[in-house]
Amino acid sequence: MWLIDQLTDQVTRDRLSGYYTLSWNRNGQPSGSASIRVVAGVSMTVICQWRSDSSEDLQSMERIVFIENTNCAYGGSRPWFVCPDCGRRVAIVMLQKPTVACRHCLKLTYASCNEDQIDRSWRRRDKIKAKLGGDDKGIYLKPKGMHQRTWQRLRWQHQNAELQGWEWMESRLDALRGL
Ligand SMILES: [Zn+2]
């Protein structure tokens, strides 16, 4: 028998290529860990090991979540996760042992805010980013002919939109965790 940990971690499609790790504790003891390998624009592999209680053997799972890009109306493209269970394109997938899937499949509902608010923040951020001439590596060079003050205002707005997006994410994560 396994228990679903209270903790639900979410991985966003905006992650860049690389390795990420997550770990959990229960009663001060390590109870599980996950390593996540992202190949930007291609896939995310989640390898997770956990123990429901200290007497139990380690359990493990490995899931591959594919990433698809869609073109945006205002230029550029935007990555989505493809839920490994239902095939929906989603902004966020959740790790809830023993699987990784979208909120629909995991039957999670958002108590305090919804996906629209997060998406709106990030759409705003991306729009400003396009004006700023930002590239995927996060490098920004002031476009020729743009006033320094306009540039600074846009940078500030961009940062704000990004922060707002993460704040919505945080509050949603808290709601999921029942905090
Ligand atoms: Zn799904």
Side-chain angles (χ1 to χ4, degrees), residues 135-150:
D135 70 5
D136 289 342
K137 295 191 188 80
I139 296 167
Y140 297 91
L141 295 171
K142 187 170 78 65
K144 267 201 180 107
M146 186 185 277
H147 285 287
Q148 187 67 26
R149 274 175 60 185
T150 312

Side-chain angles (χ1 to χ4, degrees), residues 82-88 90 101-106:
V82 181
C83 172
D85 282 356
C86 68
R88 274 192 182 92
V90 289
C102 73
R103 70 186 168 95
H104 307 282
C105 293
L106 294 173

Side-chain angles (χ1 to χ4, degrees), residues 11-179:
V11 182
T12 79
R13 64 198 160 174
D14 286 345
R15 296 251 178 173
L16 299 172
S17 287
Y19 284 95
Y20 302 91
T21 54
L22 299 166
S23 57
W24 305 274
N25 289 298
R26 189 184 290 127
N27 305 323
Q29 297 292 318
S31 63
S33 65
S35 67
I36 298 164
R37 190 168 78 101
V38 178
V39 182
V42 179
S43 66
M44 175 177 75
T45 307
V46 181
I47 298 170
C48 183
Q49 291 195 308
W50 74 96
R51 225 186 275 278
S52 299
D53 63 61
S54 53
S55 60
E56 230 176 81
D57 287 340
L58 265 183
Q59 305 185 56
S60 62
M61 65 123 199
E62 177 173 343
R63 291 221 88 171
I64 297 177
V65 182
F66 290 102
I67 298 170
E68 271 182 14
N69 288 293
T70 58
N71 292 326
C72 301
Y74 49 85
S77 67
R78 138 161 248 158
W80 300 93
F81 286 127
V82 181
C83 172
D85 282 356
C86 68
R88 274 192 182 92
R89 275 194 198 132
V90 289
I92 293 163
V93 286
M94 311 274 177
L95 166 60
Q96 196 172 61
K97 298 180 283 291
T99 192
V100 175
C102 73
R103 70 186 168 95
H104 307 282
C105 293
L106 294 173
K107 302 199 170 31
L108 296 168
T109 53
Y110 304 136
S112 66
C113 67
N114 61 47
E115 198 151 5
D116 291 347
Q117 287 166 314
I118 298 170
D119 263 358
R120 226 173 293 143
S121 299
W122 280 340
R123 266 203 303 276
R124 200 166 59 231
R125 178 199 63 184
D126 289 350
K127 248 182 209 161
I128 303 166
K129 187 174 167 179
K131 277 193 214 159
L132 282 168
D135 70 5
D136 289 342
K137 295 191 188 80
I139 296 167
Y140 297 91
L141 295 171
K142 187 170 78 65
K144 267 201 180 107
M146 186 185 277
H147 285 287
Q148 187 67 26
R149 274 175 60 185
T150 312
W151 163 249
Q152 272 169 353
R153 183 170 46 84
L154 284 171
R155 296 272 343 226
W156 186 80
Q157 285 175 355
H158 177 260
Q159 241 170 34
N160 252 12
E162 168 109 38
L163 270 177
Q164 181 119 64
W166 285 109
E167 265 165 31
W168 286 121
M169 287 267 284
E170 270 305 304
S171 62
R172 191 170 76 189
L173 190 56
D174 288 349
L176 286 167
R177 283 170 169 163
L179 294 176

